[in-house]
CSV table of all heavy atoms in Angstrom, one decimal:
chain,number,residue,atom,x,y,z
A,23,GLY,N,63.9,2.7,38.4
A,23,GLY,CA,63.3,4.0,38.7
A,23,GLY,C,63.1,4.9,37.5
A,23,GLY,O,62.4,5.9,37.6
A,24,ALA,N,63.7,4.6,36.4
A,24,ALA,CA,63.5,5.4,35.2
A,24,ALA,C,62.1,5.3,34.6
A,24,ALA,O,61.5,4.3,34.7
A,24,ALA,CB,64.5,5.0,34.1
A,25,ILE,N,61.6,6.4,34.0
A,25,ILE,CA,60.3,6.4,33.4
A,25,ILE,C,60.4,6.3,31.9
A,25,ILE,O,61.2,7.0,31.3
A,25,ILE,CB,59.6,7.8,33.8
A,25,ILE,CG1,59.4,7.9,35.3
A,25,ILE,CG2,58.2,7.8,33.1
A,25,ILE,CD1,58.5,6.9,35.9
A,26,VAL,N,59.7,5.4,31.4
A,26,VAL,CA,59.6,5.2,29.9
A,26,VAL,C,58.3,5.5,29.4
A,26,VAL,O,57.3,5.0,29.9
A,26,VAL,CB,60.0,3.7,29.6
A,26,VAL,CG1,60.0,3.5,28.1
A,26,VAL,CG2,61.4,3.3,30.1
A,27,ALA,N,58.2,6.3,28.4
A,27,ALA,CA,57.0,6.7,27.7
A,27,ALA,C,56.8,5.8,26.5
A,27,ALA,O,57.6,5.8,25.6
A,27,ALA,CB,56.9,8.2,27.3
A,28,SER,N,55.6,5.2,26.4
A,28,SER,CA,55.3,4.3,25.3
A,28,SER,C,54.1,4.8,24.6
A,28,SER,O,53.0,4.8,25.2
A,28,SER,CB,55.2,2.9,25.7
A,28,SER,OG,55.0,2.0,24.6
A,29,SER,N,54.2,5.3,23.3
A,29,SER,CA,53.1,5.8,22.6
A,29,SER,C,52.9,4.9,21.4
A,29,SER,O,53.6,5.0,20.4
A,29,SER,CB,53.5,7.2,22.1
A,29,SER,OG,52.4,7.8,21.3
A,30,PHE,N,51.8,4.1,21.4
A,30,PHE,CA,51.5,3.2,20.3
A,30,PHE,C,50.0,3.0,20.0
A,30,PHE,O,49.6,2.1,19.3
A,30,PHE,CB,52.2,1.9,20.5
A,30,PHE,CG,51.8,1.1,21.7
A,30,PHE,CD1,50.9,0.0,21.6
A,30,PHE,CD2,52.2,1.4,23.0
A,30,PHE,CE1,50.5,-0.7,22.7
A,30,PHE,CE2,51.9,0.7,24.1
A,30,PHE,CZ,51.0,-0.4,23.9
A,31,TYR,N,49.2,3.9,20.6
A,31,TYR,CA,47.8,3.8,20.3
A,31,TYR,C,47.1,5.2,20.1
A,31,TYR,O,46.0,5.4,20.3
A,31,TYR,CB,47.0,3.0,21.3
A,31,TYR,CG,46.7,3.6,22.6
A,31,TYR,CD1,45.5,4.3,22.9
A,31,TYR,CD2,47.7,3.6,23.7
A,31,TYR,CE1,45.2,4.9,24.1
A,31,TYR,CE2,47.4,4.2,24.9
A,31,TYR,CZ,46.2,4.8,25.1
A,31,TYR,OH,45.9,5.4,26.3
A,32,ASN,N,48.0,6.2,19.6
A,32,ASN,CA,47.5,7.5,19.5
A,32,ASN,C,46.3,7.7,18.6
A,32,ASN,O,45.4,8.5,18.7
A,32,ASN,CB,48.6,8.4,18.9
A,32,ASN,CG,49.9,8.3,19.7
A,32,ASN,OD1,50.5,7.2,19.7
A,32,ASN,ND2,50.3,9.4,20.4
A,33,LEU,N,46.3,6.8,17.5
A,33,LEU,CA,45.2,6.8,16.5
A,33,LEU,C,43.8,6.7,17.2
A,33,LEU,O,42.8,7.2,16.7
A,33,LEU,CB,45.4,5.7,15.5
A,33,LEU,CG,44.3,5.5,14.5
A,33,LEU,CD1,44.2,6.7,13.6
A,33,LEU,CD2,44.6,4.2,13.7
A,34,PHE,N,43.8,6.0,18.3
A,34,PHE,CA,42.5,5.6,18.9
A,34,PHE,C,42.0,6.7,19.9
A,34,PHE,O,40.8,6.6,20.3
A,34,PHE,CB,42.6,4.3,19.7
A,34,PHE,CG,43.0,3.2,18.8
A,34,PHE,CD1,44.3,2.9,18.5
A,34,PHE,CD2,42.0,2.4,18.1
A,34,PHE,CE1,44.7,1.8,17.6
A,34,PHE,CE2,42.3,1.4,17.3
A,34,PHE,CZ,43.7,1.1,17.0
A,35,THR,N,42.8,7.7,20.2
A,35,THR,CA,42.4,8.7,21.1
A,35,THR,C,41.2,9.6,20.5
A,35,THR,O,40.2,9.9,21.2
A,35,THR,CB,43.5,9.6,21.6
A,35,THR,OG1,44.1,10.2,20.4
A,35,THR,CG2,44.5,8.9,22.4
A,36,SER,N,41.4,9.9,19.2
A,36,SER,CA,40.3,10.6,18.5
A,36,SER,C,39.1,9.8,18.4
A,36,SER,O,37.9,10.3,18.6
A,36,SER,CB,40.8,11.0,17.1
A,36,SER,OG,41.9,11.9,17.2
A,37,PHE,N,39.2,8.5,18.2
A,37,PHE,CA,38.1,7.6,18.1
A,37,PHE,C,37.3,7.6,19.4
A,37,PHE,O,36.1,7.7,19.4
A,37,PHE,CB,38.6,6.2,17.7
A,37,PHE,CG,37.5,5.1,17.7
A,37,PHE,CD1,36.6,5.0,16.7
A,37,PHE,CD2,37.4,4.3,18.8
A,37,PHE,CE1,35.6,4.0,16.7
A,37,PHE,CE2,36.4,3.3,18.8
A,37,PHE,CZ,35.5,3.2,17.8
A,38,HIS,N,38.0,7.4,20.5
A,38,HIS,CA,37.3,7.4,21.8
A,38,HIS,C,36.7,8.8,22.1
A,38,HIS,O,35.6,8.8,22.8
A,38,HIS,CB,38.3,7.0,22.9
A,38,HIS,CG,38.6,5.5,23.0
A,38,HIS,ND1,37.6,4.6,23.4
A,38,HIS,CD2,39.6,4.8,22.6
A,38,HIS,CE1,38.1,3.4,23.4
A,38,HIS,NE2,39.4,3.5,22.8
A,39,GLU,N,37.3,9.8,21.7
A,39,GLU,CA,36.7,11.2,21.9
A,39,GLU,C,35.4,11.3,21.1
A,39,GLU,O,34.4,11.8,21.7
A,39,GLU,CB,37.7,12.2,21.4
A,39,GLU,CG,37.2,13.7,21.7
A,39,GLU,CD,38.2,14.7,21.2
A,39,GLU,OE1,39.4,14.3,20.9
A,39,GLU,OE2,37.8,15.9,21.2
A,40,HIS,N,35.3,10.8,19.9
A,40,HIS,CA,34.1,10.8,19.1
A,40,HIS,C,33.0,10.0,19.8
A,40,HIS,O,31.9,10.4,19.9
A,40,HIS,CB,34.3,10.3,17.7
A,40,HIS,CG,35.2,11.2,16.9
A,40,HIS,ND1,35.0,12.6,16.9
A,40,HIS,CD2,36.1,11.0,15.9
A,40,HIS,CE1,35.9,13.2,16.1
A,40,HIS,NE2,36.5,12.2,15.5
A,41,ILE,N,33.4,8.8,20.3
A,41,ILE,CA,32.4,7.9,20.9
A,41,ILE,C,31.9,8.5,22.2
A,41,ILE,O,30.7,8.5,22.4
A,41,ILE,CB,33.1,6.5,21.2
A,41,ILE,CG1,33.4,5.8,19.8
A,41,ILE,CG2,32.2,5.7,22.0
A,41,ILE,CD1,32.2,5.5,19.0
A,42,SER,N,32.8,9.0,23.0
A,42,SER,CA,32.3,9.6,24.3
A,42,SER,C,31.4,10.8,24.1
A,42,SER,O,30.5,11.1,24.9
A,42,SER,CB,33.5,10.0,25.1
A,42,SER,OG,34.3,11.0,24.5
A,43,ASN,N,31.6,11.5,22.9
A,43,ASN,CA,30.7,12.7,22.6
A,43,ASN,C,29.5,12.3,21.8
A,43,ASN,O,28.8,13.2,21.3
A,43,ASN,CB,31.6,13.7,21.9
A,43,ASN,CG,32.6,14.4,22.8
A,43,ASN,OD1,32.4,14.6,24.0
A,43,ASN,ND2,33.7,14.7,22.2
A,44,LYS,N,29.3,11.0,21.6
A,44,LYS,CA,28.2,10.4,20.9
A,44,LYS,C,28.2,10.9,19.4
A,44,LYS,O,27.1,11.2,18.8
A,44,LYS,CB,26.9,10.8,21.5
A,44,LYS,CG,26.8,10.2,23.0
A,44,LYS,CD,25.4,10.5,23.6
A,44,LYS,CE,25.3,10.0,25.0
A,44,LYS,NZ,25.7,8.6,25.2
A,45,LYS,N,29.4,11.0,18.8
A,45,LYS,CA,29.5,11.4,17.4
A,45,LYS,C,29.9,10.2,16.6
A,45,LYS,O,31.0,10.0,16.2
A,45,LYS,CB,30.6,12.5,17.3
A,45,LYS,CG,30.2,13.8,18.0
A,45,LYS,CD,31.3,14.8,17.8
A,45,LYS,CE,31.0,16.2,18.4
A,45,LYS,NZ,32.1,17.2,18.2
A,46,LEU,N,28.8,9.4,16.4
A,46,LEU,CA,29.0,8.1,15.7
A,46,LEU,C,29.5,8.3,14.3
A,46,LEU,O,30.3,7.5,13.8
A,46,LEU,CB,27.8,7.3,15.7
A,46,LEU,CG,27.9,5.8,15.3
A,46,LEU,CD1,28.8,5.0,16.1
A,46,LEU,CD2,26.5,5.2,15.2
A,47,LYS,N,28.9,9.3,13.6
A,47,LYS,CA,29.3,9.5,12.2
A,47,LYS,C,30.8,9.9,12.0
A,47,LYS,O,31.5,9.4,11.1
A,47,LYS,CB,28.4,10.6,11.6
A,47,LYS,CG,27.0,10.2,11.4
A,47,LYS,CD,26.2,11.4,10.7
A,47,LYS,CE,24.7,11.0,10.5
A,47,LYS,NZ,24.0,12.1,9.9
A,48,GLU,N,31.3,10.7,13.0
A,48,GLU,CA,32.7,11.1,12.9
A,48,GLU,C,33.6,9.9,13.2
A,48,GLU,O,34.6,9.7,12.6
A,48,GLU,CB,32.9,12.2,13.9
A,48,GLU,CG,32.4,13.6,13.5
A,48,GLU,CD,30.9,13.7,13.8
A,48,GLU,OE1,30.3,12.7,14.2
A,48,GLU,OE2,30.4,14.8,13.5
A,49,ALA,N,33.1,9.0,14.2
A,49,ALA,CA,33.9,7.8,14.5
A,49,ALA,C,34.0,6.9,13.3
A,49,ALA,O,35.0,6.3,13.0
A,49,ALA,CB,33.3,7.1,15.7
A,50,LEU,N,32.8,6.7,12.6
A,50,LEU,CA,32.8,5.9,11.4
A,50,LEU,C,33.7,6.5,10.3
A,50,LEU,O,34.4,5.7,9.6
A,50,LEU,CB,31.4,5.8,10.9
A,50,LEU,CG,30.5,4.7,11.5
A,50,LEU,CD1,29.1,4.8,11.0
A,50,LEU,CD2,31.0,3.3,11.1
A,51,SER,N,33.7,7.8,10.1
A,51,SER,CA,34.6,8.4,9.1
A,51,SER,C,36.0,8.2,9.4
A,51,SER,O,36.8,7.9,8.5
A,51,SER,CB,34.3,9.9,9.1
A,51,SER,OG,33.0,10.2,8.7
A,52,LEU,N,36.4,8.2,10.7
A,52,LEU,CA,37.8,8.0,11.1
A,52,LEU,C,38.2,6.5,10.7
A,52,LEU,O,39.3,6.3,10.2
A,52,LEU,CB,38.0,8.2,12.6
A,52,LEU,CG,39.3,7.9,13.2
A,52,LEU,CD1,40.4,8.8,12.5
A,52,LEU,CD2,39.4,8.2,14.7
A,53,CYS,N,37.2,5.6,11.0
A,53,CYS,CA,37.5,4.2,10.7
A,53,CYS,C,37.7,4.0,9.2
A,53,CYS,O,38.6,3.2,8.7
A,53,CYS,CB,36.3,3.3,11.1
A,53,CYS,SG,36.2,3.1,12.9
A,54,ARG,N,36.9,4.7,8.4
A,54,ARG,CA,37.0,4.6,6.9
A,54,ARG,C,38.3,5.1,6.4
A,54,ARG,O,38.9,4.5,5.5
A,54,ARG,CB,35.8,5.3,6.2
A,54,ARG,CG,34.5,4.6,6.5
A,54,ARG,CD,33.3,5.6,6.1
A,54,ARG,NE,32.0,5.0,6.5
A,54,ARG,CZ,31.0,5.8,6.7
A,54,ARG,NH1,31.1,7.1,6.7
A,54,ARG,NH2,29.8,5.2,7.1
A,55,VAL,N,38.8,6.2,7.0
A,55,VAL,CA,40.1,6.8,6.5
A,55,VAL,C,41.2,5.9,7.0
A,55,VAL,O,42.2,5.6,6.2
A,55,VAL,CB,40.2,8.2,7.1
A,55,VAL,CG1,41.6,8.7,6.8
A,55,VAL,CG2,39.1,9.1,6.5
A,56,ALA,N,41.2,5.5,8.3
A,56,ALA,CA,42.3,4.7,8.8
A,56,ALA,C,42.4,3.3,8.3
A,56,ALA,O,43.5,2.8,8.1
A,56,ALA,CB,42.2,4.7,10.3
A,57,GLN,N,41.3,2.7,8.0
A,57,GLN,CA,41.2,1.3,7.5
A,57,GLN,C,42.1,0.4,8.4
A,57,GLN,O,43.0,-0.4,7.9
A,57,GLN,CB,41.7,1.2,6.1
A,57,GLN,CG,40.6,1.7,5.1
A,57,GLN,CD,39.3,1.0,5.2
A,57,GLN,OE1,39.2,-0.2,5.3
A,57,GLN,NE2,38.2,1.8,5.2
A,58,ASN,N,41.9,0.5,9.7
A,58,ASN,CA,42.7,-0.3,10.7
A,58,ASN,C,41.8,-1.3,11.3
A,58,ASN,O,40.7,-1.0,11.8
A,58,ASN,CB,43.2,0.7,11.8
A,58,ASN,CG,44.0,0.0,12.9
A,58,ASN,OD1,43.5,-0.7,13.7
A,58,ASN,ND2,45.3,0.1,12.8
A,59,GLU,N,42.2,-2.6,11.3
A,59,GLU,CA,41.4,-3.7,11.7
A,59,GLU,C,41.0,-3.6,13.2
A,59,GLU,O,39.8,-3.9,13.5
A,59,GLU,CB,42.1,-5.0,11.5
A,59,GLU,CG,41.2,-6.2,11.8
A,59,GLU,CD,42.0,-7.6,11.7
A,59,GLU,OE1,43.2,-7.6,11.7
A,59,GLU,OE2,41.3,-8.6,11.5
A,60,ILE,N,41.9,-3.2,14.0
A,60,ILE,CA,41.6,-3.1,15.5
A,60,ILE,C,40.5,-2.0,15.7
A,60,ILE,O,39.6,-2.1,16.5
A,60,ILE,CB,42.8,-2.8,16.3
A,60,ILE,CG1,43.8,-3.9,16.2
A,60,ILE,CG2,42.5,-2.5,17.8
A,60,ILE,CD1,45.2,-3.7,16.8
A,61,LEU,N,40.7,-0.8,15.0
A,61,LEU,CA,39.7,0.3,15.1
A,61,LEU,C,38.3,-0.2,14.6
A,61,LEU,O,37.3,0.1,15.3
A,61,LEU,CB,40.2,1.4,14.2
A,61,LEU,CG,39.6,2.8,14.5
A,61,LEU,CD1,39.9,3.3,15.9
A,61,LEU,CD2,40.1,3.8,13.5
A,62,TRP,N,38.3,-0.9,13.5
A,62,TRP,CA,37.0,-1.4,13.0
A,62,TRP,C,36.4,-2.4,14.0
A,62,TRP,O,35.2,-2.4,14.2
A,62,TRP,CB,37.2,-2.0,11.6
A,62,TRP,CG,37.1,-1.1,10.5
A,62,TRP,CD1,38.1,-0.9,9.5
A,62,TRP,CD2,36.0,-0.3,10.1
A,62,TRP,NE1,37.6,0.0,8.6
A,62,TRP,CE2,36.3,0.3,8.9
A,62,TRP,CE3,34.7,-0.1,10.6
A,62,TRP,CZ2,35.5,1.2,8.2
A,62,TRP,CZ3,33.8,0.7,9.9
A,62,TRP,CH2,34.2,1.4,8.7
A,63,THR,N,37.2,-3.2,14.6
A,63,THR,CA,36.7,-4.2,15.6
A,63,THR,C,36.1,-3.4,16.8
A,63,THR,O,35.0,-3.8,17.3
A,63,THR,CB,37.8,-5.1,16.0
A,63,THR,OG1,38.4,-5.8,14.9
A,63,THR,CG2,37.2,-6.2,16.9
A,64,CYS,N,36.7,-2.4,17.3
A,64,CYS,CA,36.2,-1.6,18.4
A,64,CYS,C,34.9,-1.0,18.0
A,64,CYS,O,33.9,-0.9,18.7
A,64,CYS,CB,37.2,-0.5,18.8
A,64,CYS,SG,38.7,-1.1,19.6
A,65,MET,N,34.8,-0.5,16.7
A,65,MET,CA,33.6,0.1,16.2
A,65,MET,C,32.5,-0.9,16.2
A,65,MET,O,31.3,-0.6,16.6
A,65,MET,CB,33.8,0.6,14.8
A,65,MET,CG,32.7,1.4,14.2
A,65,MET,SD,32.4,3.1,14.8
A,65,MET,CE,31.0,2.8,15.9
A,66,ALA,N,32.8,-2.1,15.8
A,66,ALA,CA,31.8,-3.2,15.7
A,66,ALA,C,31.2,-3.5,17.1
A,66,ALA,O,30.0,-3.6,17.3
A,66,ALA,CB,32.4,-4.5,15.1
């Protein structure tokens, strides 16, 4: 019955916000700064 909070993909919330708002340049900038393989794969 206990509730456990697991936070391990916070980096991607900003990315999805940019994508949903059709701000592709901002999403690309985030990928360049983060240099995260999973983030780049989502971008691809």
Side-chain angles (χ1 to χ4, degrees):
I25 300 293
V26 178
S28 185
S29 176
F30 62 102
Y31 74 97
N32 308 67
L33 173 67
F34 299 89
T35 55
S36 297
F37 173 77
H38 281 287
E39 183 178 350
H40 291 321
I41 293 297
S42 61
N43 292 326
K44 301 187 184 303
K45 295 181 178 180
L46 188 63
K47 290 183 179 179
E48 287 79 357
L50 275 172
S51 297
L52 178 62
C53 290
R54 292 166 187 152
V55 172
Q57 288 301 315
N58 181 285
E59 183 181 22
I60 298 176
L61 195 63
W62 273 120
T63 305
C64 291
M65 185 76 257

